Each structure stands twice: as structure tokens, then as C-alpha cells.
Amino acid sequence: GENVEQHPSTLSVQEGDSAVIKCTYSDSASNYFPWYKQELGKRPQLIIDIRSNVGEKKDQRIAVTLNKTAKHFSLHITETQPEDSAVYFCAASLNYGGSQGNLIFGKGTKLSVKP
Amino acid sequence: DGGITQSPKYLFRKEGQNVTLSCEQNLNHDAMYWYRQDPGQGLRLIYYSQIVNDFQKGDIAEGYSVSREKKESFPLTVTSAQKNPTAFYLCASSPRTRETEAFFGQGTRLTVV
């Protein structure tokens, strides 16, 4: 089955700096890669996702890159702000036959943005 | 107001007792999931259901049971056979279509006392 590794487990940056979180996956057939943000005591919420036919996607200060050959994908947050502080999860999913496969999550990265 | 609702938010259980966590969604989603969240462990899949009256074990199903009698509901029972049940439990749902996000409930924190 799919296995997702996520690094680092904790990340501390100064406000305004960039943050990068990296994930690798094991199943080359996986083709959907979402990123979730979970603030303290709240539910995980999707912040950005990427499909396997795209190498990069950007949404304001957030970008995700995907390297299918190397089986890794990364989340980039630029101009970090204190409200970016949260736990971020990457996930991988194999979708086939019109049905969505199960999301397999990484172990999470706790991002702290210091003012 | 559409969404996915878990109840209760906090739950305390004595050792040896079964307890059922509720998950209801009005998003008309076919697929529903239960995840367990422990510190430093991420989200681990317990059970999932792609359609009514059908469900499959995830990676850590031992000591848990589920039912899917209605599209809107996917309750999780934590049985006395679960060796370490204290955790944060998250329910999620998604449309049964390609490459769509999963929507999460607000979670239930279960504590064994």
C-alpha cells in the first residue's frame, strides 16, 4: 500500500521568511496530492492540492510542486505570517475507475512563525 | 447549513466499556472515513465506506467497528478490545469522484479513565 513520509516534523521560521515542507510517497500510481492545515483544536482543512498531470500550482503565498519521477512533492509558503502557525499534513491518494482512493497522510509538520 | 458533524466533542469512557462516536453529513457524499490522530502520528485510517451498506478496514481497524446503514451516517464503535483508545478521532467525507478533497468533522476527543 501507499506510504507517505513527511519532513520536517517541526519547523520554526521568522515572520516574513519562507517555509518548505517536503513529502515522499511510495506508490507510483498515486495521482492526487492534497495539503491540509490544522490549527490548534480545529479540524484539518484543505489549503491546496495538485494532480499528477501538473508539476506546480500556486495560490497567493502558497505553492506546491510535484516531482513524479522522484515521487516527492513539497509545500512552499512565502512571506510567512503568525496566522500560518499550525500543523500541516500532506497526503497521497490513488484514484481509479472514477472512484477516489483513500487519503494516506504524512505524520504532519508543526510550523511556528515567530513575530 | 451543510457540513459534517461529529458528536460528542469530548467523551470519557471507563476501561472495558464500548463507546460509539457519531458522524453525520448532509453534503450528499458517498464516501466516509474514520481517522485516528495521535501526537506525532499524523492521521491514521481506521475504517472507510465508499457506499451504503459497505465498508472496509483501514490500517488500524483492530478494536473498532462501524456501520453504514444510511448515506448520511457512519458511526464508529470503540470496543473494549482496543488496547489504547485514548485519542482524537476525526470523521471525514468526500464525493465518490476523482481527485476531490475530503471534508473533516470537528473531531471527538476520547479519554479512557
Side-chain angles (χ1 to χ4, degrees), chain A residues 29-96:
Chain A
S30 290
N31 53 17
Y32 174 61
F33 308 93
W35 286 88
Y36 285 80
K37 175 183 180 182
Q38 186 179 30
E39 297 177 358
L40 189 62
K42 296 188 177 180
R43 71 188 79 189
Q45 292 193 303
L46 181 76
I47 54 172
I48 195 167
D49 56 17
I50 191 166
R51 276 71 172 174
S52 60
N53 58 346
V54 176
E56 183 175 358
K57 183 177 178 180
K58 190 173 182 180
D59 183 5
Q60 299 182 335
R61 296 186 297 109
I62 294 173
V64 58
T65 58
L66 172 65
N67 183 328
K68 285 220 74 179
T69 303
K71 290 188 286 186
H72 68 70
F73 55 112
S74 300
L75 177 71
H76 304 253
I77 306 174
T78 58
E79 301 173 19
T80 54
Q81 301 167 3
E83 51 265 38
D84 293 329
S85 296
V87 178
Y88 291 82
F89 293 98
C90 63
S93 174
L94 170 62
N95 298 293
Y96 55 92

Short mmCIF file of all heavy atoms in Angstrom, two decimals, chain A residues 29-96:
data_model
loop_
_atom_site.label_atom_id
_atom_site.label_comp_id
_atom_site.label_asym_id
_atom_site.label_seq_id
_atom_site.Cartn_x
_atom_site.Cartn_y
_atom_site.Cartn_z
N ALA A 29 1.61 4.92 -8.58
CA ALA A 29 0.29 5.09 -9.20
C ALA A 29 -0.53 6.20 -8.53
O ALA A 29 -1.57 6.59 -9.04
CB ALA A 29 -0.48 3.77 -9.15
N SER A 30 -0.09 6.70 -7.38
CA SER A 30 -0.82 7.79 -6.73
C SER A 30 -0.86 9.00 -7.63
O SER A 30 0.14 9.32 -8.30
CB SER A 30 -0.16 8.15 -5.39
OG SER A 30 -0.36 7.12 -4.45
N ASN A 31 -1.99 9.68 -7.66
CA ASN A 31 -2.12 10.77 -8.62
C ASN A 31 -2.84 12.00 -8.09
O ASN A 31 -3.19 12.91 -8.84
CB ASN A 31 -2.83 10.27 -9.89
CG ASN A 31 -4.14 9.57 -9.57
OD1 ASN A 31 -4.68 9.73 -8.49
ND2 ASN A 31 -4.66 8.81 -10.52
N TYR A 32 -3.07 12.04 -6.77
CA TYR A 32 -3.71 13.22 -6.18
C TYR A 32 -3.03 13.51 -4.86
O TYR A 32 -2.90 12.62 -4.01
CB TYR A 32 -5.21 12.95 -5.99
CG TYR A 32 -5.95 14.05 -5.26
CD1 TYR A 32 -6.00 15.34 -5.79
CD2 TYR A 32 -6.60 13.81 -4.07
CE1 TYR A 32 -6.67 16.36 -5.13
CE2 TYR A 32 -7.28 14.81 -3.39
CZ TYR A 32 -7.32 16.08 -3.94
OH TYR A 32 -7.99 17.07 -3.28
N PHE A 33 -2.61 14.77 -4.67
CA PHE A 33 -1.77 15.12 -3.52
C PHE A 33 -2.28 16.40 -2.87
O PHE A 33 -1.92 17.51 -3.26
CB PHE A 33 -0.31 15.28 -3.96
CG PHE A 33 0.19 14.10 -4.75
CD1 PHE A 33 0.12 14.09 -6.13
CD2 PHE A 33 0.72 12.99 -4.09
CE1 PHE A 33 0.56 12.99 -6.87
CE2 PHE A 33 1.17 11.89 -4.82
CZ PHE A 33 1.08 11.88 -6.21
N PRO A 34 -3.11 16.27 -1.84
CA PRO A 34 -3.62 17.46 -1.15
C PRO A 34 -2.76 17.82 0.06
O PRO A 34 -2.05 16.97 0.61
CB PRO A 34 -5.01 17.02 -0.70
CG PRO A 34 -4.87 15.54 -0.47
CD PRO A 34 -3.81 15.05 -1.45
N TRP A 35 -2.85 19.05 0.46
CA TRP A 35 -2.22 19.54 1.69
C TRP A 35 -3.31 20.11 2.60
O TRP A 35 -4.17 20.88 2.15
CB TRP A 35 -1.21 20.64 1.39
CG TRP A 35 0.06 20.13 0.79
CD1 TRP A 35 0.33 19.94 -0.54
CD2 TRP A 35 1.25 19.76 1.49
NE1 TRP A 35 1.61 19.47 -0.70
CE2 TRP A 35 2.21 19.35 0.53
CE3 TRP A 35 1.62 19.73 2.84
CZ2 TRP A 35 3.48 18.92 0.87
CZ3 TRP A 35 2.90 19.30 3.18
CH2 TRP A 35 3.81 18.90 2.21
N TYR A 36 -3.25 19.72 3.88
CA TYR A 36 -4.22 20.18 4.86
C TYR A 36 -3.52 20.98 5.95
O TYR A 36 -2.40 20.66 6.34
CB TYR A 36 -4.96 19.00 5.50
CG TYR A 36 -5.99 18.36 4.60
CD1 TYR A 36 -5.61 17.45 3.61
CD2 TYR A 36 -7.33 18.69 4.71
CE1 TYR A 36 -6.55 16.88 2.77
CE2 TYR A 36 -8.28 18.11 3.88
CZ TYR A 36 -7.88 17.22 2.91
OH TYR A 36 -8.82 16.66 2.09
N LYS A 37 -4.24 21.97 6.46
CA LYS A 37 -3.76 22.78 7.58
C LYS A 37 -4.68 22.55 8.77
O LYS A 37 -5.91 22.60 8.62
CB LYS A 37 -3.78 24.27 7.19
CG LYS A 37 -3.41 25.22 8.32
CD LYS A 37 -3.54 26.67 7.85
CE LYS A 37 -3.17 27.66 8.94
NZ LYS A 37 -3.35 29.07 8.50
N GLN A 38 -4.09 22.25 9.92
CA GLN A 38 -4.89 22.04 11.12
C GLN A 38 -4.42 22.99 12.21
O GLN A 38 -3.33 22.85 12.76
CB GLN A 38 -4.79 20.59 11.59
CG GLN A 38 -5.72 20.27 12.76
CD GLN A 38 -5.62 18.83 13.21
OE1 GLN A 38 -4.59 18.20 13.09
NE2 GLN A 38 -6.71 18.29 13.76
N GLU A 39 -5.25 23.96 12.51
CA GLU A 39 -4.96 24.87 13.62
C GLU A 39 -5.32 24.18 14.92
O GLU A 39 -6.11 23.23 14.95
CB GLU A 39 -5.74 26.17 13.43
CG GLU A 39 -5.32 26.91 12.18
CD GLU A 39 -6.12 28.18 11.93
OE1 GLU A 39 -7.04 28.46 12.71
OE2 GLU A 39 -5.82 28.89 10.97
N LEU A 40 -4.73 24.66 16.00
CA LEU A 40 -4.86 24.01 17.30
C LEU A 40 -6.33 23.84 17.68
O LEU A 40 -7.09 24.81 17.70
CB LEU A 40 -4.13 24.84 18.35
CG LEU A 40 -4.00 24.19 19.73
CD1 LEU A 40 -3.18 22.91 19.63
CD2 LEU A 40 -3.37 25.16 20.72
N GLY A 41 -6.73 22.60 17.94
CA GLY A 41 -8.09 22.31 18.38
C GLY A 41 -9.13 22.34 17.30
O GLY A 41 -10.33 22.23 17.58
N LYS A 42 -8.69 22.47 16.04
CA LYS A 42 -9.66 22.55 14.94
C LYS A 42 -9.50 21.39 13.96
O LYS A 42 -8.57 20.61 14.06
CB LYS A 42 -9.51 23.89 14.22
CG LYS A 42 -9.83 25.09 15.10
CD LYS A 42 -9.85 26.37 14.30
CE LYS A 42 -10.26 27.55 15.19
NZ LYS A 42 -10.30 28.82 14.43
N ARG A 43 -10.41 21.31 13.04
CA ARG A 43 -10.37 20.24 12.05
C ARG A 43 -9.37 20.55 10.95
O ARG A 43 -9.11 21.71 10.64
CB ARG A 43 -11.76 20.05 11.45
CG ARG A 43 -12.21 21.17 10.52
CD ARG A 43 -13.66 21.02 10.11
NE ARG A 43 -14.55 21.49 11.16
CZ ARG A 43 -15.87 21.32 11.13
NH1 ARG A 43 -16.43 20.68 10.11
NH2 ARG A 43 -16.63 21.77 12.11
N PRO A 44 -8.79 19.54 10.31
CA PRO A 44 -7.93 19.80 9.14
C PRO A 44 -8.76 20.38 8.00
O PRO A 44 -9.90 19.96 7.76
CB PRO A 44 -7.42 18.39 8.78
CG PRO A 44 -7.62 17.56 9.99
CD PRO A 44 -8.85 18.11 10.65
N GLN A 45 -8.16 21.34 7.30
CA GLN A 45 -8.84 21.94 6.15
C GLN A 45 -7.88 21.99 4.97
O GLN A 45 -6.70 22.31 5.13
CB GLN A 45 -9.35 23.34 6.50
CG GLN A 45 -10.50 23.30 7.52
CD GLN A 45 -11.22 24.62 7.64
OE1 GLN A 45 -10.59 25.62 7.95
NE2 GLN A 45 -12.51 24.64 7.40
N LEU A 46 -8.42 21.70 3.80
CA LEU A 46 -7.62 21.71 2.58
C LEU A 46 -7.13 23.13 2.27
O LEU A 46 -7.90 24.09 2.31
CB LEU A 46 -8.47 21.21 1.41
CG LEU A 46 -7.76 21.13 0.07
CD1 LEU A 46 -6.84 19.92 0.03
CD2 LEU A 46 -8.76 21.06 -1.08
N ILE A 47 -5.84 23.25 1.97
CA ILE A 47 -5.32 24.56 1.59
C ILE A 47 -4.89 24.60 0.13
O ILE A 47 -4.97 25.64 -0.53
CB ILE A 47 -4.14 25.02 2.49
CG1 ILE A 47 -3.03 23.96 2.52
CG2 ILE A 47 -4.64 25.32 3.89
CD1 ILE A 47 -1.76 24.45 3.23
N ILE A 48 -4.44 23.47 -0.39
CA ILE A 48 -4.06 23.41 -1.79
C ILE A 48 -3.91 21.94 -2.17
O ILE A 48 -3.64 21.10 -1.29
CB ILE A 48 -2.75 24.19 -2.07
CG1 ILE A 48 -2.55 24.44 -3.56
CG2 ILE A 48 -1.55 23.48 -1.45
CD1 ILE A 48 -1.45 25.47 -3.86
N ASP A 49 -4.10 21.63 -3.44
CA ASP A 49 -3.89 20.25 -3.90
C ASP A 49 -3.31 20.27 -5.30
O ASP A 49 -3.34 21.31 -5.99
CB ASP A 49 -5.18 19.43 -3.84
CG ASP A 49 -6.32 20.05 -4.63
OD1 ASP A 49 -6.09 20.92 -5.49
OD2 ASP A 49 -7.49 19.66 -4.37
N ILE A 50 -2.76 19.15 -5.70
CA ILE A 50 -2.16 19.07 -7.03
C ILE A 50 -2.44 17.68 -7.60
O ILE A 50 -2.44 16.68 -6.87
CB ILE A 50 -0.65 19.39 -6.98
CG1 ILE A 50 -0.08 19.57 -8.39
CG2 ILE A 50 0.13 18.32 -6.20
CD1 ILE A 50 1.30 20.21 -8.40
N ARG A 51 -2.70 17.65 -8.90
CA ARG A 51 -2.91 16.40 -9.60
C ARG A 51 -1.63 15.98 -10.30
O ARG A 51 -0.75 16.80 -10.54
CB ARG A 51 -4.03 16.54 -10.65
CG ARG A 51 -5.44 16.37 -10.11
CD ARG A 51 -5.90 17.51 -9.26
NE ARG A 51 -7.30 17.41 -8.90
CZ ARG A 51 -7.93 18.23 -8.07
NH1 ARG A 51 -7.27 19.23 -7.52
NH2 ARG A 51 -9.21 18.06 -7.80
N SER A 52 -1.58 14.73 -10.70
CA SER A 52 -0.32 14.19 -11.21
C SER A 52 0.04 14.71 -12.59
O SER A 52 1.16 14.53 -13.05
CB SER A 52 -0.37 12.67 -11.25
OG SER A 52 -1.43 12.23 -12.08
N ASN A 53 -0.88 15.36 -13.26
CA ASN A 53 -0.58 15.88 -14.59
C ASN A 53 -0.06 17.31 -14.54
O ASN A 53 0.10 17.96 -15.57
CB ASN A 53 -1.81 15.80 -15.50
CG ASN A 53 -2.99 16.57 -14.93
OD1 ASN A 53 -2.99 16.94 -13.75
ND2 ASN A 53 -3.99 16.81 -15.74
N VAL A 54 0.18 17.80 -13.33
CA VAL A 54 0.66 19.17 -13.13
C VAL A 54 1.93 19.13 -12.30
O VAL A 54 2.03 18.36 -11.35
CB VAL A 54 -0.42 20.02 -12.42
CG1 VAL A 54 0.09 21.42 -12.12
CG2 VAL A 54 -1.69 20.07 -13.26
N GLY A 55 2.91 19.99 -12.64
CA GLY A 55 4.16 19.99 -11.88
C GLY A 55 4.19 21.01 -10.76
O GLY A 55 4.91 20.83 -9.78
N GLU A 56 3.38 22.07 -10.90
CA GLU A 56 3.41 23.12 -9.90
C GLU A 56 2.06 23.83 -9.89
O GLU A 56 1.41 23.98 -10.92
CB GLU A 56 4.53 24.12 -10.20
CG GLU A 56 4.67 25.21 -9.16
CD GLU A 56 5.86 26.13 -9.42
OE1 GLU A 56 6.60 25.90 -10.39
OE2 GLU A 56 6.06 27.07 -8.63
N LYS A 57 1.66 24.27 -8.71
CA LYS A 57 0.42 25.02 -8.56
C LYS A 57 0.62 26.07 -7.50
O LYS A 57 1.26 25.81 -6.47
CB LYS A 57 -0.72 24.08 -8.18
CG LYS A 57 -2.08 24.73 -8.08
CD LYS A 57 -3.13 23.68 -7.77
CE LYS A 57 -4.51 24.26 -7.60
NZ LYS A 57 -5.52 23.22 -7.30
N LYS A 58 0.09 27.27 -7.75
CA LYS A 58 0.30 28.36 -6.81
C LYS A 58 -1.02 29.03 -6.47
O LYS A 58 -1.90 29.18 -7.33
CB LYS A 58 1.26 29.38 -7.43
CG LYS A 58 1.73 30.44 -6.46
CD LYS A 58 2.82 31.32 -7.09
CE LYS A 58 3.33 32.35 -6.09
NZ LYS A 58 4.38 33.21 -6.68
N ASP A 59 -1.16 29.42 -5.21
CA ASP A 59 -2.34 30.15 -4.76
C ASP A 59 -1.88 31.19 -3.76
O ASP A 59 -1.66 30.90 -2.59
CB ASP A 59 -3.35 29.19 -4.12
CG ASP A 59 -4.63 29.90 -3.69
OD1 ASP A 59 -4.77 31.11 -3.96
OD2 ASP A 59 -5.50 29.24 -3.10
N GLN A 60 -1.68 32.40 -4.22
CA GLN A 60 -1.21 33.52 -3.42
C GLN A 60 0.13 33.18 -2.79
O GLN A 60 1.11 33.00 -3.51
CB GLN A 60 -2.27 33.91 -2.39
CG GLN A 60 -3.59 34.35 -3.04
CD GLN A 60 -4.64 34.79 -2.04
OE1 GLN A 60 -4.65 34.40 -0.88
NE2 GLN A 60 -5.55 35.63 -2.48
N ARG A 61 0.21 33.06 -1.48
CA ARG A 61 1.52 32.81 -0.82
C ARG A 61 1.87 31.32 -0.73
O ARG A 61 2.92 30.96 -0.22
CB ARG A 61 1.51 33.42 0.57
CG ARG A 61 1.36 34.93 0.61
CD ARG A 61 1.52 35.46 2.04
NE ARG A 61 0.48 34.97 2.93
CZ ARG A 61 0.70 34.08 3.89
NH1 ARG A 61 1.90 33.56 4.09
NH2 ARG A 61 -0.30 33.70 4.68
N ILE A 62 0.99 30.50 -1.21
CA ILE A 62 1.19 29.05 -1.07
C ILE A 62 1.42 28.44 -2.45
O ILE A 62 0.73 28.79 -3.42
CB ILE A 62 -0.04 28.39 -0.41
CG1 ILE A 62 -0.17 28.89 1.03
CG2 ILE A 62 0.06 26.88 -0.45
CD1 ILE A 62 -1.44 28.43 1.70
N ALA A 63 2.38 27.54 -2.53
CA ALA A 63 2.64 26.82 -3.78
C ALA A 63 2.97 25.37 -3.45
O ALA A 63 3.48 25.06 -2.38
CB ALA A 63 3.80 27.46 -4.55
N VAL A 64 2.66 24.51 -4.38
CA VAL A 64 3.01 23.09 -4.24
C VAL A 64 3.69 22.65 -5.52
O VAL A 64 3.29 23.04 -6.61
CB VAL A 64 1.76 22.24 -3.93
CG1 VAL A 64 0.71 22.37 -5.00
CG2 VAL A 64 2.14 20.78 -3.73
N THR A 65 4.75 21.86 -5.37
CA THR A 65 5.45 21.29 -6.51
C THR A 65 5.41 19.78 -6.43
O THR A 65 5.36 19.20 -5.33
CB THR A 65 6.91 21.76 -6.55
OG1 THR A 65 7.56 21.37 -5.32
CG2 THR A 65 7.00 23.27 -6.70
N LEU A 66 5.40 19.14 -7.56
CA LEU A 66 5.32 17.68 -7.63
C LEU A 66 6.37 17.16 -8.60
O LEU A 66 6.48 17.64 -9.73
CB LEU A 66 3.93 17.25 -8.10
CG LEU A 66 3.73 15.77 -8.42
CD1 LEU A 66 3.90 14.92 -7.16
CD2 LEU A 66 2.36 15.54 -9.05
N ASN A 67 7.14 16.19 -8.15
CA ASN A 67 8.11 15.52 -8.99
C ASN A 67 7.73 14.04 -9.02
O ASN A 67 8.02 13.29 -8.09
CB ASN A 67 9.53 15.71 -8.44
CG ASN A 67 10.59 15.08 -9.33
OD1 ASN A 67 10.36 14.07 -9.98
ND2 ASN A 67 11.76 15.67 -9.36
N LYS A 68 7.04 13.62 -10.08
CA LYS A 68 6.54 12.24 -10.14
C LYS A 68 7.66 11.23 -10.31
O LYS A 68 7.56 10.10 -9.83
CB LYS A 68 5.53 12.11 -11.29
CG LYS A 68 4.18 12.74 -11.00
CD LYS A 68 3.06 11.89 -11.52
CE LYS A 68 2.84 10.66 -10.67
NZ LYS A 68 1.73 9.82 -11.12
N THR A 69 8.70 11.63 -10.98
CA THR A 69 9.82 10.70 -11.19
C THR A 69 10.46 10.33 -9.86
O THR A 69 10.73 9.16 -9.58
CB THR A 69 10.86 11.32 -12.13
OG1 THR A 69 10.22 11.67 -13.35
CG2 THR A 69 12.00 10.36 -12.38
N ALA A 70 10.67 11.36 -9.04
CA ALA A 70 11.29 11.14 -7.74
C ALA A 70 10.27 10.77 -6.67
O ALA A 70 10.65 10.46 -5.54
CB ALA A 70 12.06 12.39 -7.32
N LYS A 71 9.00 10.87 -6.97
CA LYS A 71 7.91 10.59 -6.04
C LYS A 71 8.01 11.47 -4.80
O LYS A 71 7.97 10.97 -3.66
CB LYS A 71 7.87 9.10 -5.68
CG LYS A 71 7.41 8.23 -6.84
CD LYS A 71 7.18 6.78 -6.45
CE LYS A 71 8.49 6.07 -6.24
NZ LYS A 71 8.32 4.61 -6.00
N HIS A 72 8.14 12.76 -5.03
CA HIS A 72 8.05 13.68 -3.90
C HIS A 72 7.34 14.96 -4.30
O HIS A 72 7.29 15.34 -5.47
CB HIS A 72 9.41 13.93 -3.25
CG HIS A 72 10.39 14.70 -4.07
ND1 HIS A 72 10.27 16.04 -4.37
CD2 HIS A 72 11.55 14.31 -4.64
CE1 HIS A 72 11.30 16.43 -5.08
NE2 HIS A 72 12.08 15.42 -5.27
N PHE A 73 6.74 15.58 -3.29
CA PHE A 73 6.03 16.84 -3.51
C PHE A 73 6.27 17.73 -2.29
O PHE A 73 6.55 17.23 -1.19
CB PHE A 73 4.53 16.61 -3.77
CG PHE A 73 3.79 15.82 -2.73
CD1 PHE A 73 2.83 16.42 -1.94
CD2 PHE A 73 4.02 14.45 -2.57
CE1 PHE A 73 2.11 15.69 -1.00
CE2 PHE A 73 3.31 13.71 -1.63
CZ PHE A 73 2.36 14.34 -0.84
N SER A 74 6.20 19.02 -2.51
CA SER A 74 6.57 19.98 -1.47
C SER A 74 5.57 21.12 -1.38
O SER A 74 4.98 21.51 -2.39
CB SER A 74 7.96 20.57 -1.75
OG SER A 74 8.95 19.56 -1.80
N LEU A 75 5.44 21.64 -0.18
CA LEU A 75 4.61 22.82 0.09
C LEU A 75 5.54 23.99 0.38
O LEU A 75 6.46 23.86 1.20
CB LEU A 75 3.69 22.57 1.28
CG LEU A 75 2.81 23.75 1.71
CD1 LEU A 75 1.71 23.99 0.68
CD2 LEU A 75 2.19 23.49 3.08
N HIS A 76 5.30 25.10 -0.29
CA HIS A 76 6.10 26.31 -0.09
C HIS A 76 5.18 27.43 0.38
O HIS A 76 4.18 27.72 -0.29
CB HIS A 76 6.77 26.72 -1.40
CG HIS A 76 7.61 25.66 -2.03
ND1 HIS A 76 8.99 25.68 -2.03
CD2 HIS A 76 7.27 24.51 -2.66
CE1 HIS A 76 9.45 24.60 -2.64
NE2 HIS A 76 8.43 23.88 -3.03
N ILE A 77 5.54 28.04 1.50
CA ILE A 77 4.79 29.19 2.00
C ILE A 77 5.75 30.37 2.02
O ILE A 77 6.79 30.32 2.69
CB ILE A 77 4.22 28.95 3.41
CG1 ILE A 77 3.39 27.67 3.45
CG2 ILE A 77 3.37 30.15 3.85
CD1 ILE A 77 2.91 27.30 4.85
N THR A 78 5.43 31.43 1.30
CA THR A 78 6.28 32.62 1.27
C THR A 78 5.68 33.70 2.18
O THR A 78 4.49 33.66 2.52
CB THR A 78 6.40 33.16 -0.15
OG1 THR A 78 5.09 33.47 -0.65
CG2 THR A 78 7.05 32.14 -1.08
N GLU A 79 6.54 34.62 2.57
CA GLU A 79 6.13 35.76 3.41
C GLU A 79 5.25 35.28 4.57
O GLU A 79 4.14 35.74 4.77
CB GLU A 79 5.37 36.78 2.56
CG GLU A 79 6.20 37.33 1.40
CD GLU A 79 5.37 38.20 0.47
OE1 GLU A 79 4.28 38.68 0.86
OE2 GLU A 79 5.81 38.40 -0.68
N THR A 80 5.79 34.36 5.34
CA THR A 80 5.00 33.74 6.42
C THR A 80 4.50 34.78 7.42
O THR A 80 5.15 35.80 7.69
CB THR A 80 5.82 32.68 7.16
OG1 THR A 80 7.05 33.25 7.61
CG2 THR A 80 6.09 31.49 6.27
N GLN A 81 3.33 34.47 7.98
CA GLN A 81 2.67 35.33 8.97
C GLN A 81 2.35 34.49 10.20
O GLN A 81 2.23 33.26 10.10
CB GLN A 81 1.40 35.91 8.36
CG GLN A 81 1.65 36.73 7.10
CD GLN A 81 0.38 37.06 6.33
OE1 GLN A 81 -0.73 36.73 6.76
NE2 GLN A 81 0.54 37.70 5.18
N PRO A 82 2.19 35.11 11.36
CA PRO A 82 1.89 34.34 12.58
C PRO A 82 0.67 33.42 12.42
O PRO A 82 0.64 32.33 12.99
CB PRO A 82 1.66 35.43 13.62
CG PRO A 82 2.50 36.57 13.15
CD PRO A 82 2.42 36.53 11.66
N GLU A 83 -0.31 33.85 11.63
CA GLU A 83 -1.51 33.01 11.45
C GLU A 83 -1.26 31.78 10.58
O GLU A 83 -2.15 30.92 10.45
CB GLU A 83 -2.66 33.84 10.86
CG GLU A 83 -2.31 34.62 9.62
CD GLU A 83 -1.92 36.06 9.94
OE1 GLU A 83 -1.24 36.30 10.96
OE2 GLU A 83 -2.28 36.94 9.12
N ASP A 84 -0.06 31.67 10.03
CA ASP A 84 0.31 30.44 9.31
C ASP A 84 0.72 29.34 10.29
O ASP A 84 0.87 28.17 9.88
CB ASP A 84 1.47 30.70 8.35
CG ASP A 84 1.09 31.62 7.20
OD1 ASP A 84 -0.09 31.61 6.79
OD2 ASP A 84 1.97 32.38 6.74
N SER A 85 0.91 29.69 11.54
CA SER A 85 1.30 28.70 12.55
C SER A 85 0.20 27.66 12.70
O SER A 85 -0.96 27.98 12.98
CB SER A 85 1.57 29.38 13.89
OG SER A 85 2.66 30.27 13.81
N ALA A 86 0.57 26.40 12.49
CA ALA A 86 -0.40 25.29 12.51
C ALA A 86 0.36 24.00 12.24
O ALA A 86 1.57 24.01 12.04
CB ALA A 86 -1.48 25.50 11.45
N VAL A 87 -0.38 22.90 12.22
CA VAL A 87 0.18 21.63 11.76
C VAL A 87 -0.27 21.40 10.33
O VAL A 87 -1.45 21.55 10.02
CB VAL A 87 -0.25 20.46 12.65
CG1 VAL A 87 0.32 19.14 12.13
CG2 VAL A 87 0.20 20.68 14.10
N TYR A 88 0.67 21.07 9.47
CA TYR A 88 0.38 20.85 8.06
C TYR A 88 0.57 19.37 7.73
O TYR A 88 1.57 18.76 8.13
CB TYR A 88 1.31 21.71 7.18
CG TYR A 88 1.01 23.17 7.28
CD1 TYR A 88 1.51 23.92 8.35
CD2 TYR A 88 0.22 23.83 6.34
CE1 TYR A 88 1.23 25.27 8.48
CE2 TYR A 88 -0.06 25.18 6.46
CZ TYR A 88 0.44 25.89 7.53
OH TYR A 88 0.15 27.23 7.65
N PHE A 89 -0.40 18.82 7.02
CA PHE A 89 -0.34 17.41 6.62
C PHE A 89 -0.34 17.31 5.10
O PHE A 89 -1.15 17.95 4.43
CB PHE A 89 -1.56 16.64 7.13
CG PHE A 89 -1.62 16.49 8.62
CD1 PHE A 89 -2.40 17.35 9.39
CD2 PHE A 89 -0.92 15.48 9.25
CE1 PHE A 89 -2.47 17.21 10.76
CE2 PHE A 89 -0.98 15.33 10.64
CZ PHE A 89 -1.76 16.20 11.39
N CYS A 90 0.54 16.48 4.58
CA CYS A 90 0.45 16.12 3.18
C CYS A 90 -0.28 14.78 3.09
O CYS A 90 -0.38 14.04 4.06
CB CYS A 90 1.83 16.02 2.54
SG CYS A 90 2.89 14.73 3.23
N ALA A 91 -0.78 14.48 1.91
CA ALA A 91 -1.48 13.21 1.70
C ALA A 91 -1.34 12.79 0.25
O ALA A 91 -1.07 13.61 -0.63
CB ALA A 91 -2.96 13.33 2.09
N ALA A 92 -1.53 11.51 0.02
CA ALA A 92 -1.50 10.97 -1.33
C ALA A 92 -2.69 10.04 -1.50
O ALA A 92 -3.12 9.37 -0.55
CB ALA A 92 -0.20 10.21 -1.58
N SER A 93 -3.20 10.04 -2.70
CA SER A 93 -4.39 9.22 -2.97
C SER A 93 -4.32 8.66 -4.37
O SER A 93 -3.91 9.34 -5.31
CB SER A 93 -5.65 10.06 -2.83
OG SER A 93 -6.80 9.34 -3.22
N LEU A 94 -4.71 7.40 -4.47
CA LEU A 94 -4.79 6.77 -5.77
C LEU A 94 -6.25 6.76 -6.20
O LEU A 94 -7.10 6.24 -5.49
CB LEU A 94 -4.26 5.33 -5.69
CG LEU A 94 -4.49 4.44 -6.91
CD1 LEU A 94 -3.79 5.02 -8.11
CD2 LEU A 94 -4.01 3.03 -6.62
N ASN A 95 -6.53 7.37 -7.31
CA ASN A 95 -7.89 7.40 -7.83
C ASN A 95 -7.97 6.57 -9.10
O ASN A 95 -7.15 6.71 -9.99
CB ASN A 95 -8.30 8.84 -8.15
CG ASN A 95 -8.30 9.70 -6.92
OD1 ASN A 95 -9.09 9.51 -6.03
ND2 ASN A 95 -7.38 10.63 -6.87
N TYR A 96 -8.94 5.71 -9.18
CA TYR A 96 -9.04 4.85 -10.34
C TYR A 96 -10.49 4.52 -10.60
O TYR A 96 -11.31 4.47 -9.69
CB TYR A 96 -8.23 3.56 -10.12
CG TYR A 96 -8.61 2.82 -8.87
CD1 TYR A 96 -9.59 1.82 -8.88
CD2 TYR A 96 -7.99 3.12 -7.67
CE1 TYR A 96 -9.93 1.16 -7.72
CE2 TYR A 96 -8.33 2.46 -6.50
CZ TYR A 96 -9.30 1.47 -6.54
OH TYR A 96 -9.65 0.82 -5.39
#
